[in-house]
Amino acid sequence: MADLIIKICGLSTEETMQAALDAGADMIGLVFFPKSPRHVSLSQACKLADMARGKAEIVALTVDMNLDGLSRINELVAPDWFQFHGSETPEACAAAKVMYKKKVMKAVPISEAADLEQAQFYSIVADMILFDAKPPQGSDVPGGNGVSYDWSLLKDLDLSKPFMLSGGLDPSNVADAIAQSGVKAIDASSGMERERGVKDVELIRAFVAAARGAKVAGE
């Protein structure tokens, strides 16, 4: 995995989806969580997923969703990945992977080195770990809060599965994040928004360009 993988999450309109695809995003994220300003309905998600299919990998982000909800997303949207961004157990991740025959990404919230330890449990079953910043106190959503952490915590991390850096990334800091962490995969959402939940086409283009132009540690 020599090339950088770029995931743009929380897309909710055809215009911004097209911008992400044109910019060269490798993965696009659709949020199925009503509390999030980026939440999409199943009908919206189907249209957006059809735009992306064959051009970028489709990631369905859920938060402690029940099996009925997951099954409906799997059947109607047909994502390539399920991203579990709540308190799902390793066993639940493993069950979903077997049941839906899809790759699984598990978000692990971190703010200090000790938080990295829980990733080891999920790496046994998940295909990728996403390290996101712990949400600020009082937040009712687990991600997309625009907060960051010490990116160097991920440098030289020994994990049996690929991992992705997320949390507070935007066009102005993504190159630094890649350089400090040495990661080969990044994810961003709020850093490409002109207002909460509303993506900006120019910021999407700028983010992908800045990320592609960054030097990945070890290259």
Side-chain angles (χ1 to χ4, degrees):
M1 193 169 66
D3 295 332
L4 181 73
I5 293 174
I6 298 176
K7 174 172 172 278
I8 298 178
C9 199
L11 292 160
S12 58
T13 68
E14 293 183 23
E15 181 191 25
T16 53
M17 173 62 77
Q18 193 60 55
L21 296 172
D22 290 345
D26 302 290
M27 306 174 85
I28 59 91
L30 301 173
V31 176
F32 299 89
F33 185 52
K35 288 184 178 181
S36 170
R38 303 163 191 99
H39 171 71
V40 289
S41 67
L42 280 170
S43 59
Q44 281 178 290
C46 288
K47 291 178 185 176
L48 295 171
D50 285 344
M51 290 179 67
R53 208 172 311 280
K55 300 170 186 172
E57 291 192 88
I58 301 159
V59 182
L61 184 158
T62 66
V63 180
D64 298 316
M65 183 176 281
N66 60 33
L67 289 177
D68 181 59
L70 293 175
S71 296
R72 285 174 60 79
I73 292 170
N74 188 60
E75 181 182 349
L76 298 174
V77 182
D80 300 294
W81 292 75
F82 273 107
Q83 176 179 332
F84 295 127
H85 218 101
S87 56
E88 300 89 354
T89 63
E91 292 78 11
C93 295
K97 185 175 175 178
V98 172
M99 189 178 301
Y100 304 119
K101 297 179 172 59
K102 298 291 163 68
K103 290 175 281 190
V104 167
M105 182 186 306
K106 180 65 179 82
V108 173
I110 64 171
S111 63
E112 57 187 30
D115 297 325
L116 296 170
E117 293 177 10
Q118 62 178 314
Q120 301 292 345
F121 299 104
Y122 288 103
S123 67
I124 298 169
V125 296
D127 297 283
M128 182 174 283
I129 302 296
L130 182 142
F131 290 107
D132 199 2
K134 281 188 175 179
Q137 192 169 3
S139 173
D140 59 354
V141 291
N145 291 296
V147 294
S148 188
Y149 52 90
D150 180 359
W151 299 314
S152 66
L153 289 172
L154 303 184
K155 193 170 181 62
D156 302 321
L157 178 64
D158 184 16
L159 200 62
S160 62
K161 296 290 174 63
F163 55 90
M164 182 175 280
L165 185 157
S166 183
L169 297 180
D170 61 40
S172 70
N173 66 17
V174 65
D176 284 342
I178 292 167
Q180 290 180 37
S181 65
V183 295
K184 298 294 181 72
I186 56 166
D187 166 82
S189 182
S190 61
M192 289 173 281
E193 294 177 348
R194 59 176 179 266
E195 58 184 89
R196 188 164 166 78
V198 182
K199 293 283 187 295
D200 182 278
V201 168
E202 293 304 321
L203 287 175
I204 290 172
R205 292 177 184 146
F207 179 83
V208 175
R212 292 286 181 222
K215 179 171 175 57
V216 177
E219 286 191 346

